[in-house]
Amino acid sequence: RKEVEQDPGPFNVPEGATVAFNCTYSNSASQSFFWYRQDCRKEPKLLMSVYSSGNEDGRFTAQLNRASQYISLLIRDSKLSDSATYLCVVTTNTGNQFYFGTGTSLTVIP
Amino acid sequence: EPEVTQTPSHQVTQMGQEVILRCVPISNHLYFYWYRQILGQKVEFLVSFYNNEISEKSEIFDDQFSVERPDGSNFTLKIRSTKLEDSAMYFCASSEESDNEQFFGPGTRLTVL
C-alpha cells in the first residue's frame, strides 16, 4: 500500500474557479502534514502546513481528518499562476522523513 | 530570505564513476535531507541527517550512497559507482526541527551515461 495517495489529475479549470484536491495516507502515526507545490523541473516549495483544526492562507484552505487519514486542499478564485503540481506530504511518526504523494497536476486556463 | 543552495545544477557522468553532490543548508537549520526524483515520478526520500549522523535512510540508500557534513556549512551526497538508474534530480532539504517544514534546494540533475 502506498504511503500517500493522490489523484494525479490533470485538473484543468478556468480562472476564478474553485478546485479541491484530496489525499489519503496510510500511517495513522504520522505526525505532520503539508501541501507543497512543484513547478515543472523545479524544487518543491512549501504552500502550507496542515493543522488538525484546519487552516486558511488567503485563497487556500487545508483540512485534516485524522480519523479518515485524509487531507484536502481547496483553492478559491484560481489564478493562472496557480498552475503547478500540488504535492501532499506526510511525515513518519519520527518526523525524520517526508513521504510525498505523486502530485496532482493543475492547469488554470484563461 | 535564506535558502538552500546546491551545486552543480547539472552533472553528467559515465556509469561506474563516483559523483559528489553538494548542498549548503540554511544556516540555523539542524536537520538535513536528501531526496531524489526520477523524471515523471514522485519525490523519494533517501536519507536524513542530524548531529553528524544518519537519522533514517530508505531502501534506496544502499552501500553505494554516503553523506557527509565535512564542515560547518556543506552537506554532501556521494554515489560511489553510478548506475544508469541513478539518473534523477537530487534535492537537498533542511529544517530547523524534526517534523517541521523542510526547505528544498533547486536540485542537481544527475545524468548517468
Side-chain angles (χ1 to χ4, degrees):
Chain A
R1 185 179 173 185
K2 291 181 184 176
E3 295 286 344
V4 181
E5 297 210 46
Q6 290 183 253
D7 179 351
F11 285 68
N12 299 314
V13 302
E15 265 186 295
T18 295
V19 61
F21 305 137
N22 303 316
C23 166
T24 57
Y25 61 95
S26 61
N27 185 352
S28 60
S30 295
Q31 293 294 324
S32 297
F33 310 88
F34 306 93
W35 283 101
Y36 278 71
R37 70 171 276 169
Q38 186 174 31
D39 294 286
C40 189
R41 294 180 179 265
K42 299 284 190 180
E43 73 272 25
K45 291 195 172 178
L46 178 69
L47 181 66
M48 58 196 303
S49 303
V50 186
Y51 303 119
S52 297
S53 54
N55 49 299
E56 189 173 304
D57 183 1
R59 298 181 293 109
F60 300 87
T61 301
Q63 298 277 352
L64 167 64
N65 184 322
R66 283 189 185 270
S68 303
Q69 294 177 209
Y70 169 94
I71 305 159
S72 66
L73 176 68
L74 184 76
I75 305 175
R76 289 181 298 279
D77 189 23
S78 300
K79 312 287 184 198
L80 296 177
S81 57
D82 293 335
S83 298
T85 297
Y86 289 83
L87 307 174
C88 177
V89 180
V90 173
T91 65
T92 57
N93 52 336
T94 61
N96 276 330
Q97 60 173 286
F98 275 9
Y99 286 113
F100 282 80
T102 51
T104 300
S105 173
L106 172 67
T107 301
V108 181
I109 304 162
Chain B
E1 184 178 325
E3 57 185 20
V4 177
T5 60
Q6 289 185 243
T7 54
S9 56
H10 192 186
Q11 173 94 49
V12 181
T13 190
Q14 295 288 328
M15 191 169 57
Q17 295 296 303
E18 174 183 288
V19 295
I20 298 176
L21 311 183
R22 301 179 193 281
C23 168
V24 179
I26 294 173
S27 61
N28 65 328
H29 285 186
L30 302 176
Y31 294 80
F32 314 120
Y33 312 85
W34 283 101
Y35 293 83
R36 79 171 186 191
Q37 186 174 31
I38 295 169
L39 189 63
Q41 298 186 24
K42 68 177 182 180
V43 178
E44 298 175 290
F45 171 78
L46 293 177
V47 65
S48 60
F49 191 87
Y50 170 71
N51 200 26
N52 280 319
E53 60 183 31
I54 291 173
S55 308
E56 287 187 41
K57 59 182 181 179
S58 70
E59 292 173 356
I60 303 167
F61 194 87
D62 61 22
D63 293 343
Q64 295 299 312
F65 291 87
S66 62
V67 289
E68 192 178 27
R69 186 150 164 87
D71 53 44
S73 59
N74 289 284
F75 178 52
T76 62
L77 174 70
K78 183 194 290 188
I79 309 174
R80 253 180 282 284
S81 177
T82 49
K83 302 188 277 286
L84 295 177
E85 54 264 38
D86 293 328
S87 295
M89 182 74 98
Y90 287 80
F91 293 110
C92 173
S94 69
S95 64
E96 271 188 86
E97 306 268 351
S98 171
D99 217 27
N100 275 18
E101 56 266 25
Q102 296 178 17
F103 294 88
F104 285 75
T108 294
R109 180 166 299 283
L110 177 65
T111 302
V112 182
L113 303 175

